[in-house]
Amino acid sequence: MGLQMSTLSTTRVTREASSSRAFAGSQLFPKDKLNNKLTSTTLSVIVPVYNEQYLIEASLERLKVLSESPLLDLIKVIVVDDGSSDGSAAAIESFQKSIGSRKRDPKFSWLWLRHEKNCGKGAAIRAGLSNADTELVVIHDADLEYHPGDLLRMVEVFLLEDADAVFGSRFMSGGYKRALFFRHALGNKLLTFLCDLVCDLNLTDIETCYKMVRTDLLKSIPLESSTFDVEPELAIKLAKRGSRIFEVPIGYSGRTYLEGKKINWKDGMRALWAILRYAISDRIYATDESGGEILERLNRAPRFAGWMADVIRPYVGNRVLEVGAGTGNMSVHLMPRNLYWATDINPHYLDYLVMLRATRPYMRVAFTNAMEAESFPKEQSFDTVVCLNVVEHIEDDVAVLRNMWHSLSDGGRAIILVPCGPWLYGSLDNALGHFRRYTQASLVKVCEQAGFRVEQMLKFNRPGVPAWWLNGRILRRRTFALGQIRMLNLLTPIFRIVDPVLPFPPLSLIAILRKETTAPAG
C-alpha cells in the first residue's frame, strides 16, 4: 500500500565510506577510460571440484597459460573440493606438492578449500567468492571441457569496454566445439531463450561455465542456488541489476557420459524452475547496511516516484545537485537540466548512475558523503539541492543541512523530503535506519539552524499513513512485501487525487528552503 520511498543512501555511512573504492571529493565515477585506459587487471579463478580425480590435475595445470599474458598482473586460483568421495582430494594434494617443488610463479597464488560433504556447485562458488579479492572473478570447471586461454579474450573485453560481466559463449561463431548431444543443445537453447525472455537480453549461451564478473559486483548479489541452477540465477540477477553484459566466442570440448559428464535432465528441470523463481524474485542485493535490497523493491513503484517528482519539479532549477540519488529513480524524472550532479555514498548505486550518464551529457556522477563537506562537488555553483529521504538517516541533521547550504549559490533552493509523524516510528523505521520522524515544527527548527529560510512546507502522501502504521506499528514488519509495492504502484493515480482531502497528517514532509546570504551560525 502507500509506502514511503527512500534512497537509504546514508544509513550507517561509516562502513559504506570505507568500501567506496576510495572515491575522493567530487571525483567523477568512473575515471574517463578514454584517457585512463587500463592495460592489465587481476583475476580470481574459482574451481569447484566434485569427483574429478582423473582430470583435476590436468585442469589446474592448464591454468598456467594465464601467467603468460601481460593482461593479468595476478591470478588467484581458489580450489574448492566439494566433498568429493573419490580420489579427488589425493589428486589435489598431489598437485599442491608438484607446484611447491617448482620455481614460484610470482603471478600465481593458490588457495585450497574443502567441504566435508557435497553441497553443490553453487555452494562451492559462494565459498570461493568469499575469498576472492581481485578485480575480476570467473568460474573454471575441474574437467577439461573449457580452455583457460579463452579467459584472456574475456579479460580483454573488460579492459576495452565498460563491462560488468563477460560470458564465454559456446554457440557464437568464432570458437570451436566438439559435436555432441543434439538434444542437450536443444535444451540449452530453450533455457537460453527463456532466460533471455526474462532478462530482455540476447544472450546465446546461458549455461556456459565461463562467466567472468567484476568481483565487487558479484559479491553484492545474493547467490541462493546450490546446484547447476546457479547459472540462470547469476544471469538473471546480473540483468536485473542493469549490468553491462558482453559475450565472446569460446572453444568447448564436451565429454560423453562415459567420459564422466555429470549434468542430466534433472539439472535441466532445476534450471527451468530457477528461471521461473528468479524471474519473480527481487533479491538482487546482498543484505547490507545501506538497504540496497529494500531500495530495489521500492523501485518497483515507478508511478509513486513520478508522483513525488511532479510535486517537487516546480521548485527545481537548472543546476542541480542531488544528494543520495540511489539508483536514479528520482533523477530520471527531474532531468534533463543544464547541469545535474547525481551523488551517493554506495558504490553499487553509483554503478547504476554511471549507466544513466551514458546518454545524458549534462549529467555528472560522484561519490558524496552527506556528512562530510569536503566530499561535495568542488568549484560548482548549484541553484538547487535535492535531498529526498536522507536527512532522517543521519544523527547530526543540522550539520548535513549546513553542508547543503554551503553547496548552494546565494538565493538557491534546497528541497528536503523527510518522514513525518514521530508517533508512526516503528519497526520499518528501525529497519531503514531512521534516527527520527519529524513534525513540521521540528523540521522548521533544524532547517533554520542550518541557515535556511523555510519558503514552503508541503504535505505529501497521506494515503500511505494507514499502511505504514499497520506494517510498522502493529505487524512489526521490517521490510515491504512485494505485493504491497505492486499495489502501491497500481493505486498511485488514486492516491494523487485523494491526498489533499484526507483528514490526517501526511507520511512525508517536503521543505522548500531558500539560502539567504548570511552564513549559518557555527
Side-chain angles (χ1 to χ4, degrees):
M1 298 298 289
L3 303 177
Q4 182 168 318
M5 192 70 72
S6 175
T7 61
L8 311 174
S9 58
T10 48
T11 306
R12 302 178 182 91
V13 295
T14 303
R15 177 179 170 184
E16 285 297 336
S18 67
S19 64
S20 62
R21 302 181 189 170
F23 298 148
S26 59
Q27 176 184 342
L28 291 180
F29 175 86
K31 288 185 178 180
D32 182 359
K33 292 192 174 183
L34 294 176
N35 299 319
N36 298 276
K37 281 285 188 183
L38 295 174
T39 57
S40 61
T41 186
T42 57
L43 175 68
S44 288
V45 183
I46 299 174
V47 187
V49 183
Y50 179 65
N51 289 352
E52 294 289 0
Q53 61 176 326
Y54 302 112
L55 301 181
I56 179 58
E57 289 187 77
S59 180
L60 294 175
E61 189 70 32
R62 280 184 170 190
L63 293 173
K64 70 179 183 180
V65 69
L66 300 177
S67 70
E68 299 171 4
S69 171
L71 300 180
L72 292 172
D73 299 321
L74 173 69
I75 305 104
K76 182 175 185 178
V77 183
I78 306 170
V79 181
V80 185
D81 182 359
D82 188 31
S84 296
S85 57
D86 65 352
S88 294
I92 291 172
E93 185 178 357
S94 173
F95 183 80
Q96 283 183 261
K97 292 178 180 178
S98 73
I99 61 173
S101 64
R102 306 175 200 172
K103 182 180 179 181
R104 182 180 177 273
D105 187 332
K107 282 191 175 184
F108 265 97
S109 67
W110 299 82
L111 180 64
W112 314 93
L113 306 175
R114 175 172 171 78
H115 292 161
E116 290 304 316
K117 63 178 182 179
N118 179 242
C119 301
K121 182 176 182 178
I125 291 172
R126 287 194 293 272
L129 183 61
S130 65
N131 290 277
D133 53 7
T134 52
E135 287 294 318
L136 306 176
V137 64
V138 72
I139 295 92
H140 171 70
D141 280 348
D143 52 39
L144 302 178
E145 292 188 333
Y146 291 83
H147 303 271
D150 289 327
L151 295 177
L152 298 174
R153 304 174 70 180
M154 300 167 70
V155 168
E156 190 173 358
V157 177
F158 282 96
L159 299 178
L160 294 176
E161 300 285 349
D162 187 19
D164 294 309
V166 178
F167 292 1
S169 172
R170 299 165 292 176
F171 303 120
M172 290 178 69
S173 59
Y176 65 89
K177 67 180 188 299
R178 181 181 177 184
L180 280 174
F181 300 129
F182 173 70
R183 289 186 294 275
H184 276 213
L186 283 181
N188 198 315
K189 289 179 180 179
L190 173 62
L191 294 174
T192 299
F193 169 77
L194 294 174
C195 196
D196 282 349
L197 198 62
V198 168
C199 300
D200 192 25
L201 295 176
N202 59 346
L203 297 170
T204 61
D205 187 7
I206 194 64
E207 290 293 330
T208 179
C209 166
Y210 274 2
K211 294 181 174 74
M212 189 178 292
V213 187
R214 287 194 296 105
T215 303
D216 59 350
L217 171 61
L218 189 53
K219 283 188 172 185
S220 75
I221 295 175
L223 296 178
E224 305 168 66
S225 301
S226 292
T227 59
F228 287 98
D229 51 350
V230 70
E231 307 293 0
E233 177 191 6
L234 180 54
I236 290 171
K237 290 186 175 181
L238 282 169
K240 286 189 174 184
R241 285 283 294 266
S243 305
R244 287 171 54 86
I245 305 175
F246 291 76
E247 283 188 307
V248 298
I250 61 171
Y252 180 64
S253 300
R255 56 181 177 167
T256 68
Y257 286 103
L258 291 175
E259 294 170 323
K261 192 174 188 68
K262 297 183 179 69
I263 196 167
N264 56 41
W265 67 271
K266 293 181 181 178
D267 295 296
M269 296 304 295
R270 292 190 188 100
L272 282 172
W273 168 245
I275 291 172
L276 175 62
R277 175 185 177 188
Y278 298 117
I280 61 177
S281 171
D282 62 348
R283 280 208 71 212
I284 62 173
Y285 275 97
T287 301
D288 59 33
E289 294 187 358
S290 65
E293 73 285 359
I294 302 177
L295 175 60
E296 174 58 30
R297 182 162 288 186
L298 288 170
N299 284 345
R300 300 289 188 94
R303 290 178 176 174
F304 184 84
W307 176 24
M308 188 185 298
D310 288 344
V311 171
I312 68 173
R313 189 177 292 109
Y315 307 97
V316 179
N318 282 311
R319 299 182 63 82
V320 181
L321 168 65
E322 184 179 1
V323 178
T327 56
N329 60 300
M330 184 60 55
S331 312
V332 295
H333 288 282
L334 299 179
M335 293 187 281
R337 301 285 161 175
N338 292 347
L339 179 68
Y340 197 103
W341 280 70
T343 69
D344 207 279
I345 194 172
N346 188 320
H348 303 305
Y349 299 167
L350 294 170
D351 289 341
Y352 270 88
L353 296 171
V354 166
M355 287 185 285
L356 295 178
R357 182 188 170 204
T359 56
R360 296 170 171 86
Y362 48 82
M363 183 181 179
R364 303 290 182 269
V365 178
F367 167 84
T368 295
N369 183 342
M371 295 193 305
E372 298 175 359
E374 63 273 16
S375 72
F376 278 65
K378 300 295 187 296
E379 299 178 0
Q380 298 293 322
S381 175
F382 298 106
D383 59 29
T384 311
V385 171
V386 176
C387 184
L388 310 177
N389 281 308
V390 171
V391 175
E392 67 273 15
H393 294 281
I394 302 172
E395 189 167 10
D396 191 348
D397 49 1
V398 174
V400 170
L401 288 169
R402 280 178 180 158
N403 290 338
M404 297 177 196
W405 188 96
H406 285 292
S407 68
L408 282 167
S409 56
D410 290 344
R413 278 195 181 116
I415 303 169
I416 310 297
L417 185 145
V418 296
C420 178
W423 61 277
L424 274 175
Y425 193 98
S427 58
L428 285 175
D429 294 278
N430 183 263
L432 291 169
H434 291 175
F435 278 98
R436 68 194 73 80
R437 299 183 70 90
Y438 290 83
T439 64
Q440 187 166 328
S442 66
L443 181 57
V444 168
K445 180 179 179 181
V446 297
C447 292
E448 290 180 344
Q449 285 179 332
F452 285 107
R453 176 172 63 83
V454 179
E455 196 172 75
Q456 199 168 349
M457 190 72 68
L458 308 176
K459 298 177 180 179
F460 178 74
N461 191 17
R462 292 175 182 84
V465 170
W468 194 275
W469 176 79
L470 176 65
N471 283 282
R473 298 283 294 176
I474 304 302
L475 300 180
R476 310 296 295 173
R477 288 177 175 166
R478 298 184 63 81
T479 189
F480 307 113
L482 185 56
Q484 287 181 305
I485 299 298
R486 288 173 174 163
M487 185 65 69
L488 167 64
N489 194 53
L490 179 66
L491 296 179
T492 291
I494 298 174
F495 290 171
R496 296 179 69 145
I497 296 172
V498 304
D499 185 38
V501 299
L502 291 178
F504 41 78
L507 192 63
S508 300
L509 292 170
I510 302 175
I512 311 300
L513 311 175
R514 182 73 72 174
K515 176 180 178 177
E516 306 289 10
T517 55
T518 303

